Amino acid sequence: MGPVRESFIFEFLYCHLSLEASCSSVRIINIAFIPESLSWISFSLTAFFWIFVFVNAALVGVLALIWGERRLIGKFQARLGPNRWGPLGLFTPVADAIKVMFKEDIEPTLSDKLIYVLAPILMVVPVFMIFPIIPYGAKTFLTNISVGVVFVLAITSINSLSVLMAGWASGNRFAIIGGIRAVAMLLSYEIPMGISAAGVVIVAGSLSLSGVVDSQVIPNAIFQPLGFITFLIASTAELNRSPFDITEAESELVAGYMTDYSSMKFGLFYLGEFMATIASSAIIVTFYFSGWRGPSFIPSEIWFLAKWIGVIAIFIWFRATFPRLRIDQIMSLAWKGLFELSLINVLVLALMIAIWPDPTGMQLLLMTAINWIVFLASVYIFGKILSPNLTGNKIKKRSVIYGLD
Amino acid sequence: MTRVLTGSDIENILSSKFKNQIEFIGDDYVQVINKDSLDVFNYLKIDQNYDLLSSVTSVDRISHFEVVYHLTSLQKNESMVIKIKCGADRIDPNVKSVVSVWRGAELQEREIYDLMGIMFEGHPNMKRLLLWENFEGHPLRKDFVS
Amino acid sequence: MSTELVTMNIGPIHPSTHGVFRMRVTFDGETIIDAEPIIGYLHRGSEKLAEERTYTQVVTLTDRMDYTASMTNNQAYILSVEKLSGITPSERGVWLRMIASELQRIAAHSVAIGFLINDLGAWHTPLLYLLREREKILELFEMMCGARITNSYLRPGGVFMDAPDEFWPSLNRFLDEMPNRLDDIENLLTDNEIILARTQNVAILDKNDAINASITGPMLRASGVDWDLRHRNPYDYYEKISFRRPLGTVGDNNDRYLVRLHEIRESLKIVEQCLDLIEPGPVQPEEVPFLVRPPKGESYVPIEAPKGELGFYLVSDGGISPFRCHVRAPSLINLTLLRDMVIGYKIADLFVTFGSIDVNMGEVDR
């Protein structure tokens, strides 16, 4: 019961149920009725309540994201986006959800039934586990586990297994290619993602997400831009979003690993994918945009929400703008580009922290300046000098010539 | 402006080497004999620079079938029409495939085989193009009742 | 490491086969070993149908061949009929159909570029930008003849009706706007690193191979051959028009994209010149009979359609309907080298190459 009891929102509800002695200071109204000897009941009730709230909030968040993504992409594409069902088309995802639920559930004859059913579940469940550990505000978090960063990296990598299972179990060649591509890509991008996260941990000196937020006097996005960029690119790949959506590449593999899924099984993949976007954005906000921190005239939860929506909008912007990369280009970007860039970032940060273990204000600014110099230099070297070798395709801007008369 | 060669122009080009091959000289085409037609086409392509095969098609003349070749020379900016009569009657028409001369005939000859039923000897992949494999008959023939 | 080859049927129902195209592709991992195009899913027997319709009625069949470029199909057919029956078209009619066919070329190239970028996985954004411009052209067509896609606007001797007065200001507005829109598209696409990395040096088509395989149109010009029938064999009044022919330097997918994009700009200039030269008058000569009855003979007039050389080989037996009507379909013939172009490249390149060839299944299968 340890880490959960550190959470203010958990403790607040718990203390209004339990007559525990330590609770009297937290209680605002005296309505507690469960005796201390039965504290497991009050604990369970509180836990159930918060699980209910978090799961439903995540689901509503997905609906909101689907609506927001479609509206925003509509704006990017010079059209209206959904606008028929409800004010501003707000109920469109609800209608979608109902439609998906009532569709016929098809199981292909060639499928491996058990794995086929398990895959969508495995896609969704791990993502739910990320939401409780994210600090949404100064006091608003459900639990603060001491290895939060490792937990996040571990949980987000489960979905590559789910994708492989789905691709394999479908018994469809589009699906198996999608699944194999997914494993190759997701495993490759785990590495730059993990190393970039190591940069965050080095600066924070703590593996807990609250510690990461507390450490960011200067938001990490500004303090270590190189780590931010590599993490952002790697997490775009982890989310299977454009330009890294080769696993479900519509124009190549129809729908990739979920080609043969229909009805609510497809719905779960859809749900898991959008929920992963939300969760990843929350992690990016926590790691690189100083989480809930901000000038105190606005509540910390609002700060978090605003940054969160901003990061999600970046992902939507990516999707609306970039064409897809090819599989070999994606792999070489991971191994020949991001891997080295994230290593450089960690190396520089570690050296600076070794020199200034407890930086003062001026030293922080100096470190930021050094980081920016390293960032610009390495991006220039990798982007301009090495880029022809990165993809194995010597690209050159060209134009047409005109026929002579 | 692309110069469209008249029948006598084409005859002038061909007569030096293939006098015996010419079967008939029309207003704006020359009909060559089915046998050894590849030699004529090779000559036209390599020596006369007719490097673009614009179109291959066929006509059901009721009494017989004929295959029509539209050739273009990009350098000289000229075009000509060569025809081949596939036998004297409607039975078992076949001509030599020109795929070895111009790759561009590959799909067009398959289409002609499919719709008109003319066999092209020496075509690398002579099977139906548009219709399914066990379709009966060749729909562009005049005797095909739709 | 040796792996088992995988053979897959891609299509006829697939998001990026531009209709009902099917390919039987053999992969070694992600690399293409063999690709065989299988077509015929949209075969409607247009050539046979044409033999049972009068010369004017066949115009409606031509609309439905390349349905992204109905006007140029009409034009190719009408030119062939005019040559066959010796009709001299009226001047204003010819100018109108030149305007129409150049606008159609812009529309068709917009669709081609849009879907090419879509095959690259760009999530519809450039496609929708280009379709928005195409929509304006379709609205212009609607003013001209009342139809948007299947126009059937042309008749032997010209066109069937004059464009209304409100057409001309709309056309001018379109001509003013379009270059700016094209600049937007170019800013978004032309120097985009991902597009360059995906399209450059992929599926290179050699000049001589292209000519030998009868490939025509933007694809041939992307391989560096200066062969544009509007320039080399000016039909209609293209002699009085000056325009440049964009040519590619390498012959890869990127060049095919660039050539189409620059051809749109040239087409805009052609329309502007047509606007300067067009004069009032009848749009169809009085003496054209209702039922065209050409003398015995045959004709083939190739024109430069958006996809390549399009020509109708018409044989007349003196009756009111063609004895034989063959379509030289550029889409079909440009597919000849698809297999050679994609072998050795990755799965993703297959669709991009297919998109860059720009085929229209309505025309491939007819």
Side-chain angles (χ1 to χ4, degrees), chain A residues 147-214:
Chain A
V147 289
V149 176
V150 178
F151 181 81
V152 163
L153 291 175
I155 289 293
T156 48
S157 55
I158 293 179
N159 76 335
S160 58
L161 181 63
S162 154
V163 170
L164 179 64
M165 279 164 66
W168 173 256
S170 296
N172 176 319
R173 283 169 189 175
F174 286 117
I176 190 74
I177 290 180
I180 300 283
R181 277 180 173 188
V183 174
M185 183 179 80
L186 296 179
L187 291 186
S188 306
Y189 278 85
E190 290 280 309
I191 292 157
M193 194 171 166
I195 299 175
S196 307
V200 174
V201 175
I202 289 173
V203 173
S206 158
L207 278 171
S208 85
L209 295 184
S210 296
V212 167
V213 174
D214 287 338

Side-chain angles (χ1 to χ4, degrees), chain C residues 130-200:
Chain C
L130 285 157
L131 284 186
R132 180 179 61 185
E133 304 316 311
R134 176 175 178 255
E135 198 66 19
K136 289 171 190 158
I137 296 172
L138 297 185
E139 275 160 23
L140 289 171
F141 285 166
E142 201 176 356
M143 285 185 193
M144 268 176 138
C145 61
R148 288 156 55 85
I149 309 279
T150 49
N151 310 93
S152 301
Y153 182 46
L154 275 64
R155 292 287 181 279
V159 298
F160 80 87
M161 64 177 272
D162 203 346
D165 292 339
E166 65 264 28
F167 171 79
W168 305 104
S170 308
L171 178 58
N172 278 320
R173 212 176 311 126
F174 171 77
L175 292 175
D176 290 343
E177 272 178 15
M178 189 64 187
N180 301 330
R181 302 290 187 198
L182 278 178
D183 290 342
D184 288 351
I185 300 283
E186 281 220 72
N187 284 339
L188 182 62
L189 302 177
T190 302
D191 290 342
N192 185 326
E193 295 258 343
I194 297 180
I195 290 181
L196 292 183
R198 281 295 303 279
T199 56
Q200 286 199 343

